[in-house]
Amino acid sequence: MPSNNINNTISRHAISSEDSIREAMKRLNALSGESMTLFAIDNLGKIAGSITDGDIRRRLIDGGELTDKVETVMNPRFLHADSPEEIPLKMAEGRRKHIELLPIISNGVIQDIIDLKKIHSCLPLEAVVMAGGRGERLRPLTDDLPKPLLPVGGKPIIDYNIDELEACGIKKIHVTVNYLGDLIKEHFRNHKGSAIIDCVTEPTRLGTFGSLAFVENIDTEDIIVMNADLLSAIDFEAMFLHHRKNRNHFTIAAVPYSVSVPFAIMRLNGQQVTALEEKPTYNYFANGGVYIMKTELISQIKKGEYLDAPDFILSIIGQGKKVGCFNLNGTWVDIGSPDDYRMANELTRVKNLQ
């Protein structure tokens, strides 16, 4: 059943195919400030076409009258999606064609309308944002405020991640809380975003993955799991498509990490020096704290059992499950220390100035 917000969106952009072009112009004018597209609905309640200002202008130039019916001006070959699986690809096509609204249809009836100016994607995922840590290295800042609520650029850290998930069309986000958890619950009590926020209390400190056992009622095949204290530019859509294309059970966001040694490194054969490498740099990929995993894997986590991410990942590798990585390019800051916190604030300040 569509929500009230979805029903309101559909009603604003729907018009009867029997209405006049004049009525369509009035309805489009009322959408000023929004995406100015209407969808014509036939007498069976099914979508028949789309209407824009351009469609009306071309019709009038060709000799049409304002009293003509909407069905004479509508475009019957409009872009739409018929199933959740094809939504990401249809959204990409819409952007290439500079289309602003994408209707989602079932048996010819509009179920939802995606605004491509506001929504980056529409991923068939729920998300878990882990926000239970104590942030001990950031004391005294975290004595009275949980780390996810620390302001970065005047906005709580966790809200950057919530906003990015919502922009990907994710409708339900589970936030696991422990330390000063009531403050996080209060923060989301009157959440105004597009997703439902479900705060889940971790009864005691259970490691990075132990809290997942308490997350219930997940309705998607895969789920995003991520730390709340990250500031990153990760492309969730690209990561999801990579996860599905490679048929992974578990995908880890991989962050490039370089280690420079300020000395000459000796290569040895026993006690014999065979070569010298002057001030080498070694390149690695680090765990970025963002994962996409099969939801069914959560059933392997026992309630109340302490479990960190590396132990869980190693256990599913041991079962022969396919674990892959997705290379993350661009901004990534794990806000775990005062230096990281200062860096995050500086990054957001610079972006706001640009």
Side-chain angles (χ1 to χ4, degrees):
M1 180 71 66
S3 69
N4 288 335
N5 287 341
I6 291 174
N7 284 327
N8 290 338
T9 300
I10 293 173
S11 64
R12 287 199 307 275
H13 291 277
I15 187 171
S16 170
S17 59
E18 298 292 311
D19 280 342
S20 67
I21 291 176
R22 184 190 301 276
E23 178 63 23
M25 292 178 68
K26 290 180 181 178
R27 295 285 303 279
L28 286 169
N29 189 61
L31 290 171
S32 180
E34 300 182 55
S35 295
M36 298 181 69
T37 302
L38 295 174
F39 296 103
I41 308 299
D42 65 20
N43 56 9
L44 297 176
K46 297 185 176 183
I47 185 170
S50 63
I51 307 103
T52 65
D53 276 334
D55 295 321
I56 293 174
R57 183 172 60 253
R58 286 185 289 272
R59 174 65 180 170
L60 295 178
I61 290 173
D62 288 341
E65 302 289 341
L66 292 177
T67 53
D68 291 346
K69 291 182 179 181
V70 161
E71 63 186 9
T72 67
V73 71
M74 70 186 185
N75 173 18
R77 295 183 297 276
F78 59 97
L79 185 70
H80 63 280
D82 294 303
S83 67
E85 290 75 19
E86 68 178 20
I87 289 174
L89 294 177
K90 293 287 187 175
M91 292 182 72
E93 181 182 349
R95 289 196 179 89
R96 288 195 302 271
K97 295 179 176 179
H98 305 289
I99 292 170
E100 295 184 349
L101 296 182
L102 177 70
I104 311 304
I105 299 171
S106 176
N107 296 320
V109 178
I110 300 179
Q111 303 297 312
D112 197 359
I113 297 175
I114 299 173
D115 189 333
L116 300 184
K117 294 189 301 182
K118 297 179 181 178
I119 303 297
H120 299 168
S121 187
C122 194
L123 301 180
L125 297 168
E126 293 183 22
V128 175
V129 178
M130 297 177 288
R134 299 183 65 85
E136 293 178 353
R137 287 183 293 161
L138 282 166
R139 286 182 170 174
L141 295 175
T142 54
D143 284 345
D144 301 307
L145 194 66
K147 182 167 61 169
L149 295 186
L150 288 179
V152 170
K155 177 177 173 178
I157 296 168
I158 194 172
D159 284 357
Y160 287 94
N161 295 307
I162 297 296
D163 290 348
E164 283 299 312
L165 292 169
E166 289 183 330
C168 290
I170 292 174
K171 301 297 186 183
K172 190 173 184 181
I173 301 171
H174 309 266
V175 179
T176 61
V177 301
N178 179 253
Y179 176 68
L180 298 178
D182 287 344
L183 295 180
I184 298 175
K185 290 180 181 179
E186 183 61 32
H187 177 72
F188 288 116
R189 194 175 305 281
N190 296 306
H191 180 63
K192 303 299 183 183
S194 58
I196 296 171
I197 306 294
D198 170 37
C199 287
V200 179
T201 300
E202 182 183 18
T204 186
R205 185 170 174 269
L206 294 174
T208 49
F209 264 47
S211 62
L212 290 180
F214 295 88
V215 178
E216 299 177 341
N217 301 318
I218 300 172
D219 297 320
T220 54
E221 179 182 348
D222 297 279
I223 189 165
I224 292 175
V225 179
M226 66 181 299
N227 297 332
D229 52 0
L230 297 176
L231 189 67
S232 74
I234 190 166
D235 186 335
F236 288 113
E237 180 181 70
M239 185 175 178
F240 170 72
L241 294 175
H242 175 85
H243 173 79
R244 282 286 178 91
K245 179 181 178 180
N246 288 279
R247 299 181 179 179
N248 290 342
H249 292 90
F250 196 102
T251 301
I252 307 168
V255 180
Y257 188 78
S258 297
V259 178
S260 296
V261 181
F263 309 106
I265 297 299
M266 294 184 292
R267 297 192 180 279
L268 301 174
N269 181 8
Q271 295 298 310
Q272 182 182 353
V273 177
T274 59
L276 286 174
E277 189 174 359
E278 185 66 27
K279 298 180 180 178
T281 297
Y282 300 101
N283 297 310
Y284 302 95
F285 282 97
N287 180 352
V290 180
Y291 317 92
I292 296 180
M293 59 183 280
K294 293 295 180 186
T295 302
E296 63 189 30
L297 294 176
I298 294 177
S299 64
Q300 299 186 21
I301 303 173
K302 297 178 181 178
K303 281 190 176 182
E305 179 180 70
Y306 186 95
L307 183 64
D308 278 327
D311 296 323
F312 181 66
I313 295 168
L314 287 173
S315 73
I316 60 176
I317 291 173
Q319 298 168 30
K321 305 291 188 183
K322 189 173 182 182
V323 176
C325 70
F326 172 79
N327 295 350
L328 194 160
N329 297 313
T331 301
W332 181 86
V333 181
D334 179 0
I335 305 172
S337 70
D339 286 342
D340 297 328
Y341 186 52
R342 282 190 291 269
M343 181 189 300
N345 274 285
E346 181 62 20
L347 280 172
T348 55
R349 186 189 70 82
V350 170
K351 286 183 179 181
N352 289 334
L353 290 176
Q354 293 175 342

